[in-house]
Structures are given as C-alpha cells and as structure tokens.
Amino acid sequence: MIYVDSCILIYAVEDEGQRGDAVRQQLADAGDEIVAISPLVTMECLTGPLRNENLVLRDHYVRSLKLFRRLSVDEDQFIRAAELKARFGLKTPDALHLAAAQTHGCDAFWTNDNRLGAAAAGLDLRVFS
C-alpha cells in the first residue's frame, strides 16, 4: 500500500507541468496497488481552493479524493506522530502523515520532502521535487 501525502495530490490535480505529469504517471503505473490518504490529506488539499473561494477546484478535489483508500487518524497515530516529532524534529503534519503510513502497514510513502528519509524507516520513500 502506498501512502501519498498532500503535496503529491496537489501536484496530480493542479500542476500542469513536468512534476504533475510525473506524479500522474506514477499513480497510473501503480496499477492494482492500493494508494491511501488520511483525513489530513483531505484537509490540506481543500484549504487552498476554499481560501481562494474556488469551488470548482474544491469539487474536483472532493471527487479525486474518493479514488483513494482512507486511513484513519486516531490516538495511535497521534502517539506515533509524537514519537516521530520528538525523535526527528518533524513538523506536526509531516509526523502525522508518516505515522498514518507506518501504523497502517503501508509499504511506500510518496512526498516532496526529502528531509523525511530518516523518519520514514521501513517505508520505501519516493520523493517528487
């Protein structure tokens, strides 16, 4: 199972350049692999369109987000996030994304942040920049 953090979906939905093309191609190449998100991804992806009152983009995200497996974020993930934050100095959202991936048994983690390498132990980290 692949966990994609918010930036990956933002690239897939909004970036019409090479980076967006690369992300869309990798998602297509994932084939039957389960691709997962958490409620944090939903919140982060919707914030920009809502801030800009772009309801067309908001609706596009809502439809797109339904294509992914939803992973819960509850106390177990917050405990793991606290451990990651304390040990690696991660910001809260990064720690929560990694915690969701690690505690739900994901094999891979896709992000744009190469600083997450040490904290992503046990996950195949793919960085899109």
Side-chain angles (χ1 to χ4, degrees):
M1 181 166 41
I2 301 165
Y3 183 95
V4 293
D5 93 12
S6 308
C7 60
I8 300 304
L9 289 183
I10 292 168
Y11 295 160
V13 170
E14 296 187 49
D15 189 330
E16 295 181 15
Q18 289 181 333
R19 183 175 53 193
D21 290 342
V23 168
R24 287 186 290 276
Q25 186 61 56
Q26 289 295 310
L27 286 168
D29 291 346
D32 292 336
E33 184 81 27
I34 295 169
V35 181
I37 61 170
S38 70
L40 179 58
V41 171
T42 301
M43 183 193 79
E44 290 181 327
C45 287
L46 292 177
T47 299
L50 291 171
R51 182 183 304 123
N52 297 322
E53 299 180 11
N54 186 338
L55 298 181
V56 171
L57 183 56
R58 175 244 181 238
D59 292 345
H60 183 64
Y61 271 112
V62 169
R63 286 188 305 275
S64 298
L65 292 164
K66 290 179 181 177
L67 300 173
F68 301 92
R69 165 133 346 140
R70 307 282 179 122
L71 303 180
S72 64
V73 176
D74 56 27
E75 189 170 2
D76 290 339
Q77 286 72 43
F78 279 93
I79 290 170
R80 175 65 62 86
E83 294 166 351
L84 293 168
K85 188 172 177 164
R87 182 168 179 205
F88 298 101
L90 300 179
K91 293 181 181 180
T92 299
D94 293 331
L96 278 170
H97 284 303
L98 276 174
Q102 290 174 342
T103 59
H104 285 289
C106 292
D107 303 309
F109 186 86
W110 294 5
T111 184
N112 73 340
D113 193 342
N114 60 9
R115 298 173 296 169
L116 301 180
L123 296 171
D124 176 21
L125 184 70
R126 185 169 302 173
V127 179
F128 296 81
S129 52

